[in-house]
């Protein structure tokens, strides 16, 4: 009996073509549902509209922006310069030396900024120990560090016969319509 049950249980997990078709057909077919003819007509109209679309308007091309093909002629091409191995080596070493110099400069700049920040924090700690009031004044942002001045019209002239919407009335009418 147990062997029969095992075979029966395995049949659920094995794909059998005859049973799977029979079991899946009712899920795919709904005989009570009819196709709508309107959808088919809409698809045809949409495809016709796609065909009838006008071509995109291409902006005129500026003749100054186009590449002058006479500059690409073989007679105007320069022959590549062949560098000797010594010159290649010298240029490579020069590039490496420049890279080391710029990296050292960058490290020194970072160290300077870190030192300034450390000194500032240390000074603020000492100031806080001596006077809390002075500490509070020191950490306040100054308004005149970045002076901003705007120039231009501050008011625009009114538009004649324009009635501005009253937002309070719109809010009240919206709340009445929800009720």
């Amino acid at each position: 009996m147990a062997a029969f049950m095992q075979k029966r249980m395995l049949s659920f997990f094995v794909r059998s073509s005859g049973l799977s078709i029979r079991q899946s057909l009712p899920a795919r077919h709904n005989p009570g549902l009819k196709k709508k003819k309107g959808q088919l007509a809409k698809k045809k109209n949409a495809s016709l509209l796609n065909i009838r679309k006008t071509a995109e308007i291409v902006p005129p091309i500026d003749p100054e922006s186009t590449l002058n093909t006479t500059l690409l002629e073989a007679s105007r091409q320069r022959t590549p310069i062949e560098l000797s191995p010594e010159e290649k080596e010298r240029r490579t070493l020069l590039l490496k030396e420049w890279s080391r110099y710029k990296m050292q400069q960058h490290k020194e700049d970072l160290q300077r900024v870190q030192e300034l920040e450390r000194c500032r924090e240390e000074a603020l700690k000492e100031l806080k120990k001596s006077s809390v009031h002075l500490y509070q004044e020191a950490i306040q942002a100054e308004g005149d560090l970045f002076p901003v001045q705007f120039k231009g019209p501050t008011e625009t002239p009114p538009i004649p016969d324009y009635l501005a919407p009253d937002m309070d009335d719109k809010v009240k009418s919206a709340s009445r319509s929800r009720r």
Side-chain angles (χ1 to χ4, degrees):
M1 182 74 172
F4 174 74
M5 287 300 288
Q6 281 182 334
K7 287 182 182 178
R8 193 77 166 146
M9 292 299 288
L10 284 175
S11 68
F12 286 118
F13 299 105
V14 175
R15 295 181 186 175
S16 63
S17 61
L19 287 176
S20 63
I21 291 173
R22 188 179 53 181
Q23 290 172 350
S24 63
L25 280 176
R28 294 184 184 165
H29 179 66
N30 190 353
L33 186 66
K34 294 184 179 179
K35 289 185 179 179
K36 295 181 182 177
K37 293 181 181 178
Q39 289 179 350
L40 187 60
K42 285 180 186 177
K43 286 181 182 178
K44 286 182 181 178
N45 287 340
S47 64
L48 288 175
L49 287 175
N50 287 341
I51 294 170
R52 292 181 186 168
K53 282 186 181 176
T54 59
E56 293 182 22
I57 299 171
V58 180
I61 298 172
D62 182 22
E64 296 294 324
S65 65
T66 58
L67 183 64
N68 190 353
T69 54
T70 58
L71 299 177
L72 299 176
E73 293 175 359
S75 62
R76 294 194 48 93
Q77 295 295 321
R78 294 182 181 169
T79 57
I81 300 171
E82 284 296 321
L83 298 175
S84 65
E86 294 83 21
E87 180 63 22
K88 286 182 182 178
E89 183 71 22
R90 189 186 72 77
R91 288 184 182 190
T92 304
L93 292 174
L94 186 64
L95 186 62
K96 285 182 178 181
E97 190 178 334
W98 176 253
S99 180
R100 277 190 222 106
Y101 169 74
K102 291 306 280 183
M103 178 57 90
Q104 184 64 31
Q105 196 178 35
H106 177 68
K107 283 182 181 179
E108 288 171 0
D109 288 345
L110 285 178
Q111 286 174 353
R112 244 184 261 117
V113 169
Q114 288 173 351
E115 180 66 20
L116 285 172
E117 188 177 340
R118 189 188 62 75
C119 289
R120 180 181 176 272
E121 291 297 323
E122 189 177 318
L124 284 174
K125 282 181 187 176
E126 292 298 320
L127 187 61
K128 192 173 187 179
K129 287 179 187 175
S130 63
S131 172
V132 177
H133 174 71
L134 289 176
Y135 172 78
Q136 291 295 332
E137 290 294 321
I139 61 171
Q140 291 292 326
E142 294 180 19
D144 60 343
L145 270 179
F146 303 102
V148 179
Q149 295 179 352
F150 296 105
K151 294 181 181 178
T154 55
E155 293 183 16
T156 57
I159 300 171
D161 299 331
Y162 177 74
L163 297 173
D166 190 10
M167 296 308 289
D168 293 335
D169 290 341
K170 285 187 178 184
V171 171
K172 289 177 187 175
S173 65
S175 64
R176 279 189 223 129
S177 65
R178 288 183 193 153
R179 293 179 191 170

